Amino acid sequence: MDYVLEAIAEHPELLIIARSSYYKIIKRKPKKPKRPKLIAKIKEIFNHHQGRYGYRRVALQLIKEGCNITEKTVRYWMHKLGLKGITQSMSRKGNSMDDGLVENFFGLLKTEMFYDQEYKYHSLQELTQAIKEYIEYYNEERIKSRLKDLTPKEYRNQASINPVF
């Protein structure tokens, strides 16, 4: 009986449709979500990285963990689940050529750790601690496609093991 009432609540047009259509809708079983393990893993990675990973990095992380997946599939499910790592900045790009790497890092830090999260930090000490934690996260966990899908620490370790002479 509860299922019938839910179906009527979800489909108020049921009262003005043919009898056969009514019974067809009532007999229809609720759809189970497709690929529940994949969805759970995407949510886990997204939440672990506190919403800082977009579909590309989530896909790279899944591939790194041995999952056979494409960016397109991850993008589809992240869109479907409403998971989105980005708020557009309204400021202009920095024009300084000599410190582009530092500008890039601080842009990432502000985008991933600060914008839309200012309410988290009630004192300068809390903000300082959060920045330290982010730098550690950036070096130890955050994968970068420019670094052959490795974290900066893994990339540096790989370079020190296999020097190019």
Side-chain angles (χ1 to χ4, degrees):
M1 184 65 172
D2 291 333
Y3 182 71
V4 172
L5 294 174
E6 287 176 21
I8 291 172
E10 289 178 18
H11 303 282
E13 69 277 3
L14 284 177
L15 301 175
I16 56 170
I17 63 171
R19 179 180 217 132
S20 60
S21 297
Y22 171 79
Y23 285 108
K24 183 178 179 182
I25 291 172
I26 294 299
K27 288 182 181 179
R28 193 180 307 154
K29 293 181 181 176
K31 290 184 179 180
K32 293 181 183 176
K34 296 178 182 178
R35 304 180 83 171
K37 290 180 183 177
L38 174 64
I39 291 171
K41 194 64 180 163
I42 289 172
K43 285 180 180 179
E44 178 187 328
I45 292 169
F46 185 82
N47 292 330
H48 174 75
H49 294 281
Q50 300 177 4
R52 296 174 181 144
Y53 271 18
Y55 72 91
R56 288 185 181 102
R57 284 203 176 86
V58 171
L60 288 173
Q61 187 66 39
L62 286 167
I63 291 167
K64 198 174 186 180
E65 294 178 11
C67 188
N68 187 13
I69 194 85
T70 64
E71 283 185 2
K72 189 175 179 180
T73 304
V74 174
R75 182 176 61 202
Y76 169 82
W77 284 110
M78 286 182 69
H79 175 73
K80 201 87 159 152
L81 298 168
L83 302 175
K84 54 184 170 182
I86 296 176
T87 304
Q88 183 177 358
S89 171
M90 301 310 282
S91 63
R92 294 185 296 147
K93 278 186 173 183
N95 293 325
S96 178
M97 296 295 285
D98 56 347
D99 62 354
L101 295 173
V102 175
E103 289 281 339
N104 182 42
F105 172 77
F106 281 116
L108 287 172
L109 178 123
K110 290 188 288 185
T111 300
E112 294 183 353
M113 192 207 88
F114 191 71
Y115 293 146
D116 292 335
Q117 300 179 40
E118 297 92 350
Y119 61 88
K120 288 183 180 179
Y121 313 111
H122 301 291
S123 68
L124 184 58
Q125 290 78 21
E126 287 181 17
L127 179 61
T128 304
Q129 182 61 33
I131 290 172
K132 288 178 182 177
E133 289 171 4
Y134 178 81
I135 291 171
E136 184 176 319
Y137 161 80
Y138 182 89
N139 285 316
E140 310 248 342
E141 290 186 55
R142 188 177 186 278
I143 55 179
K144 293 188 60 104
S145 57
R146 285 188 205 159
L147 303 179
K148 301 178 184 175
D149 304 334
L150 300 171
T151 66
K153 184 177 180 180
E154 291 171 337
Y155 189 77
R156 283 191 305 270
N157 289 342
Q158 180 186 22
S160 66
I161 293 171
N162 302 322
V164 180
F165 286 104

